Amino acid sequence: MLFSEEIKLSLPDADISYYPGFFNLETANAYFNLLLNEIPWQQDHITVFGKTYPQPRLTALFGNNDKPYTYSNVTMQPLGFTSALSEIKKQIESTTNTTFTSCLANLYRDGQDSNGWHADNESSLGENPIIASVSFGEARYFNLKHKDDTTLKQKLLLEHGSLLIMKGKTQHHWLHQIAKTKKIIKPRLNLTFRVIK
């Protein structure tokens, strides 16, 4: 593991840090291959504006407190942490000084898999939630836009082995997404660690 430099995003109403090489290449490759094969990926159906359709990515929920997680009318029941996820969680916890209870894993199989504009502001996450997001595999752009000021936008390339931390009032004021792309790209695996109250 390599503790990379912290890059603070200078955005108003936000507290976002990016660590580009949080896991070194060898470690990131090993975790990517292991998690890709050991996680029991599933495709849920989500309901948006009254329409139901297959979620454009695969997911799995892990936790240590049996608490389900609900978003977009999908309620997921947690599986127990694997040893690899526990190792990753421990390393992130030492950087963030936070004990995470849950991990939502996402698998973006290709450029057509995506995540629409949203904020991680579910009541189960508390008032000012901390979200720690680890990326393995193909780099994807992470888009941010301010909820009130449409001129405030940011685009960040989330690289293999990187860590992104959002905390404070970020979820109150900002939306984020992983947009579709027509480029032919390989799979990306994303682990989002949360504290479910």
Side-chain angles (χ1 to χ4, degrees):
M1 164 151 172
L2 182 75
F3 280 104
S4 66
E5 86 246 63
E6 176 187 11
I7 299 168
K8 291 280 283 184
L9 273 60
S10 57
L11 298 173
D13 308 321
D15 188 347
I16 304 175
S17 299
Y18 180 60
Y19 300 79
F22 189 78
F23 294 98
N24 65 36
L25 184 60
E26 187 183 353
T27 305
N29 286 345
Y31 278 139
F32 175 76
N33 291 319
L34 179 64
L35 295 169
L36 186 65
N37 293 301
E38 82 169 5
I39 288 177
W41 300 104
Q42 65 188 59
Q43 185 170 32
D44 290 306
H45 283 73
I46 55 170
T47 303
V48 181
F49 302 123
K51 281 184 143 178
T52 301
Y53 55 90
Q55 191 164 232
R57 66 186 185 284
L58 305 184
T59 58
L61 181 69
F62 297 86
N64 57 13
N65 63 2
D66 295 327
K67 296 227 170 141
Y69 181 55
T70 301
Y71 66 97
S72 300
N73 295 321
V74 173
T75 298
M76 302 182 74
Q77 299 295 333
L79 305 161
F81 281 108
T82 67
S83 58
L85 288 172
S86 294
E87 287 168 14
I88 294 166
K89 183 167 106 72
K90 196 179 289 184
Q91 293 180 70
I92 294 166
E93 287 174 342
S94 68
T95 297
T96 58
N97 295 316
T98 302
T99 302
F100 294 101
T101 65
S102 309
C103 173
L104 178 62
N106 299 281
L107 177 60
Y108 298 84
R109 296 160 291 183
D110 55 33
Q112 289 305 294
D113 273 2
S114 62
N115 196 344
W117 287 112
H118 70 286
D120 294 316
N121 56 2
E122 292 81 15
S123 58
S124 61
L125 299 177
E127 189 184 350
N128 292 322
I130 177 168
I131 311 285
S133 173
V134 178
S135 296
F136 297 122
E138 188 80 31
R140 291 288 293 265
Y141 277 106
F142 181 77
N143 298 303
L144 289 148
K145 70 176 180 182
H146 197 278
K147 288 182 182 178
D148 303 315
D149 186 345
T150 52
T151 64
L152 291 173
K153 293 174 185 169
Q154 180 85 29
K155 190 160 87 164
L156 181 67
L157 188 65
L158 299 182
E159 299 157 300
H160 182 44
S162 68
L163 170 65
L164 178 79
I165 297 167
M166 296 184 284
K167 59 185 181 180
K169 295 192 179 295
T170 306
Q171 305 303 326
H172 294 276
H173 299 286
W174 289 84
L175 299 172
H176 55 272
Q177 72 162 359
I178 300 287
K180 291 183 191 297
T181 174
K182 290 197 166 72
K183 286 184 188 163
I184 294 173
I185 56 172
K186 293 175 183 157
R188 169 186 181 248
L189 201 156
N190 169 239
L191 306 173
T192 54
F193 290 89
R194 300 143 193 271
V195 180
I196 296 182
K197 307 286 184 188

